[in-house]
Amino acid sequence: MDTQQITKMKNRFRTTNREIGWLQFNERVLQEARDAKNPLYERIKFLAIYSSNLDEFFRVRVASIRSLLNLKKTEHKDLEMDPRQLLKKIHKIVNAQQESFGKVFQSQIIPELRKNNIFLVNDTQLTEVQAEQVRSYFTEKVLPLLKPIFPGKSTSDPFINNRSLYFAIELAPRDEMVTGTNTEVKNSEYSLLEIPSTELPRFLTLKKDGKNSYVMFLDDVIRLSLREYFVRNEVLGVFSFKMTRDAELHIDDEFQGDLLEKIQEGLSVRKKGIPSRFLYDPNMPESMLKYLSKYFKLGEDDLIPGGRYHNFSDLMSFPNPGNPSLENKPQPPLAHRDLKDVRSIFSVMAQKDVMLLYPYQTYDYVIQFLNQAAKDSAVIAIKISLYRVASNSKVVDALKEAAKNGKEVTAFVEIKARFDEERNLYWAGELERAGVKVLYSFPGLKVHCKLCIVTRMERGEKKRYCYLASGNFNEKTSTLYSDVGLFTTDTRLTKEVKEIFQILGRKERSTEFEHLLVAPFSMRKTFEKRIEKEIKFAKEGKRAEIIIKLNCLEDPEMIARLYEASNAGVKIRMIVRGACGAIPGVPGMSANMRAVSIIDRYLEHARIFIFYNNGQERYYVASADWMTRNLSHRIEVGFPIYDESIQKELRNYIDMELRDNVKARIIAKGRMNKYKRPTSGGERVQSQIDFYKYLRAKHKTND
């Protein structure tokens, strides 16, 4: 299709708005919290994930939409949606979800905790012994961190930290209170108090009483002692609130100037971003809410009623008193039969390609690969692209060790990785001090590919060993995210990986690639050609199939091409974890398209593409979703899987996910987020459990 045809296609067929699609995804997370078949503490974790997701959604997506409100009405016609109407729809969906969240927590989670002798208590429910423990904790740990703010007396406007928790407290001087039949307040004032939940655990575990365990919010630890803290005042009311601010950096990626300096400036701006949500205790008096609204210059759209507590993402650390049955049965990462206990990963790679599937298999092999490269006298150079790394990164340690040992080490560090800019700047500095050559972000482009190339001198010639992946060089997230990594010495791939690092190094090189799919140069074009081929086969009456596994499907051109393929008779099956812009199963538009989303113990993160190709199947793994930003505004890499045995294992993986009827939800008009269920007498398939068993049996490991 040419551009005009694509435009007609986009206008003719419907898609789901990205923000609405994302909220549909977060509803699937909330479904897992509601599912009583999940262990109790896993349900609590899903509440935490839902809350964390929603917070980021308001910080980034809602803030971006709100910024469009400043456009003139005449300019709104150029947008694909009316921002004000979209915000209303978002708030309606979120309010319903938040109501469901509250019911799950209060009516299901709390009673289940009690059944297991775990009691979440507040400041009014303590015994004398417990109250003594709490007051002691307050005096020793909490008190030194409290810094009350008195807005009416402040000479400058106090700044409310993004996502931090606060109390708004109404106080009255005790010597000015009039006591009669009723207590009257002659003069009151407001104080704001930050709850130090970033310095202290959000939950305090109290002493056990027999087999009963007791847990308390840090918020209530403070509530208990406020009257002793404000010794000259009577505390008339305590109400929690938090501010969510615009998290976008708003940096113009111009082709001149110091980009690194712009990022650093942007970080300081982020802390002062405009509000995108003011979440408050619904019991807060109207007079107090009106005062805070005026003081913080908030509009009506900024105000969202919440509950007594906020930042439920902290539920991720809700203490388990020691009952493992309340959590998922562990699935320790498995060994790979080709790499287990080998002295040299290089010797294995020289013989064959090796694929790793995380978190089912251990990420330790990647660390071993880098550590062996750091110590191997034959290794002369290491090049790697870093997007997000762990807080105590073994990857970075290996690179520093390699530089210390005289290797030529080059690391491309993407300092525009959202919410990890500060960490990445820190690690970039650490690498530079260790002697690593650090390359920084491109103006106008994010580098999101996951590549490493190690060069060894073997018999007087250079031999390149590569690792390509769908996920980050991050050993922590490798235990939580499902991803694919490939070790290879296939010269078809290693030659082109070398070319990518030439591009990252700003050296003039060709952007034509025969084997790798590289955005923004060739990835979109290659996928388009593959879809067009399947359309051609379908029109010839041949079997035509496309299988796609993504985090997000949003790019309108790619959706239009999938609709065209569906209408031509191509069978399209999709696994889309997050927002899905396509609407499957609509006659005349997407009748041959089916989609599911899997939400389970691991975050589905791999991007995998399979094209039937008239029986000569083509397999690709990529770092990129089908979003416009990934295909057109980032450097992303997709890599073909040529080894037939690896293709077979990858196909088994995908087929198992397509058969999932326990944790898979249907994405379709009228059936959105309905669970797939086994037919009567049919096999029950939970892919994240069953695939682990498959790999354990295949690789004959006893981990």
Side-chain angles (χ1 to χ4, degrees), residues 72 83 438 533 555 582 633 644 675 693:
K72 296 177 182 177
V438 177
K533 269 197 167 186
D555 183 81
H633 305 298
E644 290 184 5
Y675 282 93
K693 295 176 181 176

Side-chain angles (χ1 to χ4, degrees), residues 124-169:
T124 67
Q125 299 171 319
L126 302 177
T127 66
E128 282 300 318
V129 173
Q130 289 172 334
E132 183 66 27
Q133 179 191 349
V134 172
R135 289 193 181 95
S136 176
Y137 181 80
F138 175 86
T139 303
E140 293 177 18
K141 301 291 185 181
V142 183
L143 182 59
L145 300 174
L146 297 183
K147 297 175 183 177
I149 300 167
F150 294 90
K153 298 179 180 179
S154 178
T155 56
S156 60
D157 292 342
F159 180 71
I160 299 301
N161 289 314
N162 191 19
R163 301 175 69 202
S164 291
L165 300 169
Y166 286 84
F167 280 143
I169 307 165

Side-chain angles (χ1 to χ4, degrees), residues 224-253:
L224 182 71
S225 300
L226 275 180
R227 283 167 176 79
E228 288 78 15
Y229 180 68
F230 291 104
V231 292
R232 297 179 181 176
N233 295 280
E234 188 66 32
V235 177
L236 303 180
V238 184
F239 307 95
S240 62
F241 72 88
K242 82 165 187 175
M243 188 95 78
T244 303
R245 296 180 181 276
D246 182 346
E248 287 296 303
L249 290 179
H250 299 302
I251 292 176
D252 293 326
D253 287 323

